[in-house]
Amino acid sequence: QSVLTQPPSVSEAPGQRVTISCTGSSSNIGAGYDVHWYQQLPGTAPKLLMYGNSNRPSGVPDRFSGSKSGTSASLAITGLQAEDEADYYCQSYDSSLSGWVFGGGTKLTVL
Amino acid sequence: EVQLLESGGGLVQPGGSLRLSCGASGFIFSTYAMSWVRQAPGKGLEWVSTISGSGASTYYADSVKGRFTISRDNSKNTVFLQINSLRVEDTAVYYCAKDGGSRIQLWYRQYWGQGTLVTVSS
């Protein structure tokens, strides 16, 4: 069981909008620690997609956005494209564990 | 351009040891924390260990504490992960990552290497 909970899978048609949730607790997201998101395309290493809850690294399209509220965070992808099909992971810091934690990952399928 | 290249993975018997290396280039190595993250076959990401830029501070996941040791050689732009008392459940791709962020609790894995596979099997 991951400390951060994500839906195992989401799917949506091209051009549509999808959101991926990341639910934590009072020792991680709820404690005010930032949430970061990673994208892992099939057969490749993960790549930073969003940092500090809602900041995009250079080169990440503005179709991707992030938000955080309370003990949860969300990644939204608009104008879905086939190339967005990947696994997405959230990450934060947990004060009870004194370390960093990942969500279990969400597989996005573009129908 | 940031580049991270892991090496040292392979097949090892339970109870054995390996030393993973990660050579870095494209940034001022000594000023950034570095991390190791692993991914078991078909599974999600698991943070393993992080070391501060100076090497003075190290952090470990409970699952590896006491068996894994992270270190770095800033003169050679290299970070290491010594893994001892290997278990079957340690089988995974081990990724090296350059950290970003302003303070420890806000650190994130900014750039990733391609990973090195560690297989623990008899």
Side-chain angles (χ1 to χ4, degrees):
Chain A
Q1 296 280 26
S2 300
V3 173
L4 304 180
T5 301
Q6 298 180 234
S9 63
V10 295
S11 60
E12 189 52 88
Q16 298 302 303
R17 179 180 187 271
V18 70
T19 61
I20 298 173
S21 61
C22 175
T23 302
S25 67
S26 58
S27 62
N28 41 69
I29 300 175
Y33 299 120
D34 286 350
V35 177
H36 320 289
W37 292 90
Y38 304 88
Q39 178 192 58
Q40 186 174 30
L41 297 170
T44 70
K47 165 194 156 184
L48 180 66
L49 188 67
M50 196 78 55
Y51 66 95
N53 306 314
S54 58
N55 300 289
R56 287 186 308 275
S58 174
V60 174
D62 59 6
R63 301 186 296 105
F64 294 87
S65 62
S67 63
K68 188 186 96 166
S69 178
T71 58
S72 296
S74 291
L75 175 72
I77 312 172
T78 59
L80 270 174
Q81 300 179 4
E83 67 204 48
D84 298 332
E85 197 160 276
D87 293 325
Y88 293 83
Y89 296 90
C90 60
Q91 179 237 301
S92 187
Y93 181 84
D94 191 284
S95 58
S96 295
L97 298 173
S98 297
W100 293 268
V101 290
F102 285 96
T106 298
K107 181 177 181 59
L108 168 63
T109 300
V110 181
L111 300 170
Chain B
E1 179 193 6
V2 172
Q3 293 192 346
L4 302 169
L5 186 62
E6 303 95 334
S7 61
L11 174 64
V12 62
Q13 292 187 336
S17 299
L18 276 178
R19 189 192 197 202
L20 308 183
S21 300
C22 172
S25 62
F27 61 101
I28 303 174
F29 184 71
S30 61
T31 62
Y32 290 94
M34 298 291 293
S35 292
W36 289 93
V37 176
R38 68 183 179 182
Q39 185 171 35
K43 302 298 184 182
L45 302 175
E46 180 187 13
W47 169 72
V48 172
S49 184
T50 296
I51 186 168
S52 62
S54 67
S57 299
T58 57
Y59 312 89
Y60 298 94
D62 287 344
S63 58
V64 307
K65 204 170 292 183
R67 299 188 299 123
F68 290 17
T69 302
I70 191 171
S71 61
R72 63 192 297 160
D73 184 339
N74 286 346
S75 69
K76 296 183 178 178
N77 287 4
T78 303
V79 62
F80 305 98
L81 186 68
Q82 178 68 41
I83 46 181
N84 299 329
S85 304
L86 276 160
R87 306 166 180 168
V88 171
E89 55 264 35
D90 293 320
T91 294
V93 174
Y94 285 72
Y95 294 102
C96 163
K98 168 190 177 291
D99 280 10
S102 57
R103 58 185 175 94
I104 173 176
Q105 294 91 348
L106 304 183
W107 288 347
Y108 51 88
R109 276 75 259 187
Q110 188 179 26
Y111 294 96
W112 298 63
Q114 87 292 343
T116 187
L117 176 62
V118 172
T119 303
V120 185
S121 175
S122 55

